[in-house]
Amino acid sequence: MTDAEVKALAEIHQRLAACTQAGDARKAEAYAACFTQAGVLELVNETISGRDAILAWMTAPSVIPAPAGGTPGFISHHLTTCSVDFTGPDSATVRTYWLVTSAAGLDHNGFYVDKLERQHGQWLIAHRRPRTLWISPASVLHGKG
């Protein structure tokens, strides 16, 4: 691995951490800023295209249901194994596994498939496709939070 790739790897890991922390804290502007202007967030039943659309999606009420009319419960994503494949000097494909904790404990898990691009000296997410592998029966996603 070259020195440039080692530096890029560290920058990519920092970008993924920043995105995760902003998402969990519902910091919509910080979350959207992790994506390119034309970034795509490809969910199972919805594709959100463009940084402005991602910002609007993140600003909307949380997809984590609120228990009995209260505020949404907390979730905390924990990034685990992360594999980075440099596809060019300014592009990479990344697969990162994650675990989510909530008031229910281990809530759900899965992985991201991300395509990142270096634009204006920053590594940004050009395309993100999260996939869930398992959901706890007690998950906040079931609205029991």
Side-chain angles (χ1 to χ4, degrees):
M1 187 172 271
T2 67
D3 288 345
E5 288 174 331
V6 170
K7 183 177 186 281
L9 187 62
E11 292 171 358
I12 288 168
H13 286 157
Q14 285 298 105
R15 176 64 62 203
L16 298 177
C19 187
T20 299
Q21 291 169 352
D24 285 347
R26 302 291 298 166
K27 292 182 178 179
E29 289 182 16
Y31 183 83
C34 292
F35 288 81
T36 64
Q37 283 294 332
V40 174
L41 179 58
E42 182 186 335
L43 305 174
V44 173
N45 296 317
E46 177 180 16
T47 298
I48 304 156
S49 298
R51 186 183 286 165
D52 291 341
I54 292 168
L55 175 62
W57 175 79
M58 195 62 179
T59 304
S62 176
V63 297
I64 304 300
T71 58
F74 84 90
I75 60 168
S76 180
H77 287 72
H78 302 269
L79 302 181
T80 63
T81 306
C82 181
S83 175
V84 177
D85 179 31
F86 291 102
T87 55
D90 295 321
S91 61
T93 300
V94 183
R95 184 178 177 113
T96 308
Y97 286 87
W98 46 262
L99 302 167
V100 175
T101 58
S102 72
L106 182 55
D107 199 279
H108 55 288
N109 75 332
F111 62 93
Y112 298 119
V113 175
D114 293 321
K115 293 181 182 173
L116 282 88
E117 298 175 358
R118 185 176 17 221
Q119 296 183 355
H120 310 291
Q122 295 185 78
W123 283 95
L124 298 170
I125 300 168
H127 188 275
R128 168 163 276 192
R129 183 176 58 92
R131 290 298 178 253
T132 302
L133 297 172
W134 171 82
I135 301 174
S136 166
S139 171
V140 296
L141 297 177
H142 297 304
K144 298 174 185 175

